[in-house]
Amino acid sequence: MNFHHRNVKIVATMGPASEDEATLRALIAAGVDVVRLNFSHGTHEQHAAVLRRVREISHRLGKAVAVLQDLQGPKIRVGQLPTEPLSLKADETVILYPEDASPPKEADTKAIPVDFPDLPRVAHPGGRILLDDGHLELHTLTVDKPWVRAKVVLGGELRSHKGINFPGTPLDIPGFTAKDERDLAFGLKQGVDAVAVSFVRSAADVARVRQAIAQMAPERTDLPIIAKLERPEALQNLHEIIHAADGVMVARGDLGVELPPQRVPIAQKEIITMANHHAKLVITATQMLDSMIHAPRPTRAEASDVANAVFDGTDAVMLSGETAVGDYPVEAVKMMDAIVQEAEGHFTQWGHLAEMETSATRDDARSLTRAARELAHERDVAAIAVFTQTGRTAILMSKARPRVPIFAFTPEESTYRRLSMYWGVIPQQVPFANTVETMLRHVEAALRATTPIEPGQQVVVISGFPVGAMRPPNFALLHTVGEAG
Ligand code: PEP
């Protein structure tokens, strides 16, 4: 197929650098498939305004865009510092304390308030405390409740509300906070297309959010839940989390603070392989084009990182600060698009194709999508067309990783939008088709609108039969364009 088609999808995080109408339109036109609303920042009013803008632009451009709500989760942060920034020097002693407790009395020791009442229980002598994504490091000396005395190992400038990590210390705090609950209720009301859950440790953390959705919005229990993998415990429980969630995110920022950085590439490969094996969505996130926050060109290492995520088999790659607060948000998307397309041109040579699990998901849909891939390759077709209500057939087709684009036709708006997250899928919203002839008319119209069709070109069409009975797919057709009834 000779039109501009990228299989791996691009997720862009919103922020002050991208939320205005013109930039948002330019980002979507440049290739953004998923807009991420980060609920660690911003007000509900701001998020609602961005969501409205995304819907309008998506409608105007005729391009499916999913909105991903990212819940903050139990992130521990520095409280409000009396002076900004607080400069920490190697070897000096500082005192951390819960912001609700009284500050230490020593006037000559730097004090750091923390928004975590359990701090004195969790900190232990000899333990490491990382501040601001690991840019600053402390070692705990003594705990004299409520004050934790620590030595600065890696100094730097500390600002209010920066994140704190206690690597290697299991934290007994609820994964789904009161703020997450309020934010989720808001997201459900606004009609987000998927929700990401931060700091997931086990399948129970995913189940808790699914339960909350069932209570708050029983009609939206199929909302995809994406588990963010950023705690070491999550890697130990990877299998059960992947089973419980609809997708996962390789959240390399926090993961690389909790684990030594050299473990991150291996974790990425394990996560992507297992997610693909179980036909679940996988997003690779954080610092992909980090230097483009302040520069118009990425480093060569970043270009390699994006390409290698493509070869690892990710469904989507994500931009965070690059689009949220960067100086070059649109350039970052264009660069990501270019790197992904170049890598995809070499996917058969270097790409890693994980086979889908062969036992649990052995049903008609899985077998039919695999057969469709073989047929598509054997006959060198222009595309595969999938008719789907819930999106499941399109997801399985995507996970079979065919070498041709997947057009997914659905009358359901929510399915249309959420399918924009999946590898290779071009979502199409069409009125319900209850005859094969109507289906073929939809397929031909979509193909002709996208690419010049050559006489005799074929397309594989899969759907449920009888057509219109809304059953899982059991029907594959090798259609020659122009021969519609
Ligand atoms: C991460 O830690 O990589 C991540 C995606 O989480 P957040 O940006 O929400 O901190």
Side-chain angles (χ1 to χ4, degrees), residues 36 38 40 70-72 75 77 133 198-199 228-230 249-255 285-286 318 320:
R36 170 180 177 245
N38 184 358
S40 294
D70 195 333
L71 300 176
Q72 176 177 283
K75 180 122 183 150
R77 292 180 185 276
D133 279 347
S198 296
F199 299 104
K228 288 171 68 183
L229 306 175
E230 46 195 338
M249 184 190 290
V250 192
R252 305 184 307 180
D254 277 283
L255 196 59
T286 310
M318 189 168 113
S320 304

Side-chain angles (χ1 to χ4, degrees), residues 368 372 375 381 383 385 436-437 439-440 458-463 475-480:
L368 202 76
L375 193 53
V381 302
V436 175
E437 287 72 17
M439 280 175 20
L440 294 179
Q458 292 181 306
V459 53
V460 174
V461 183
I462 61 178
S463 89
F475 171 75
L477 174 71
L478 186 59
H479 171 63
T480 304

Side-chain angles (χ1 to χ4, degrees), residues 93-98 101-106 117-125 140-150:
T93 299
V94 295
I95 295 179
L96 294 92
Y97 66 101
S102 39
K105 292 174 193 69
E106 292 115 293
D118 260 358
L119 169 78
R121 200 176 54 77
V122 164
H124 56 274
T140 305
L141 299 170
T142 56
V143 180
D144 180 14
K145 285 179 186 174
W147 304 306
V148 173
R149 195 177 293 270

Side-chain angles (χ1 to χ4, degrees), residues 198-278:
S198 296
F199 299 104
V200 164
R201 290 160 296 188
S202 66
D205 286 336
V206 177
R208 176 74 193 86
V209 176
R210 217 178 273 292
Q211 208 176 39
I213 295 171
Q215 277 160 4
M216 292 180 200
E219 71 292 351
R220 301 216 61 202
T221 45
D222 66 339
L223 186 74
I225 298 179
I226 296 169
K228 288 171 68 183
L229 306 175
E230 46 195 338
R231 295 275 314 164
E233 300 97 301
L235 298 184
Q236 278 147 23
N237 300 326
L238 188 56
H239 196 257
E240 63 166 62
I241 293 170
I242 283 178
H243 265 283
D246 301 287
V248 287
M249 184 190 290
V250 192
R252 305 184 307 180
D254 277 283
L255 196 59
V257 177
E258 294 283 342
L259 293 178
Q262 64 269 28
R263 292 275 308 281
V264 174
I266 314 299
Q268 173 174 321
K269 285 186 191 310
E270 281 171 8
I271 294 165
I272 294 175
T273 304
M274 199 184 285
N276 283 335
H277 189 61
H278 292 280

Side-chain angles (χ1 to χ4, degrees), residues 386-407:
V386 176
F387 282 78
T388 183
Q389 291 282 326
T390 63
R392 179 164 185 266
T393 309
I395 294 170
L396 290 175
M397 196 66 249
S398 161
K399 288 293 166 181
R401 298 295 196 249
R403 288 200 295 269
V404 296
I406 303 159
F407 284 81

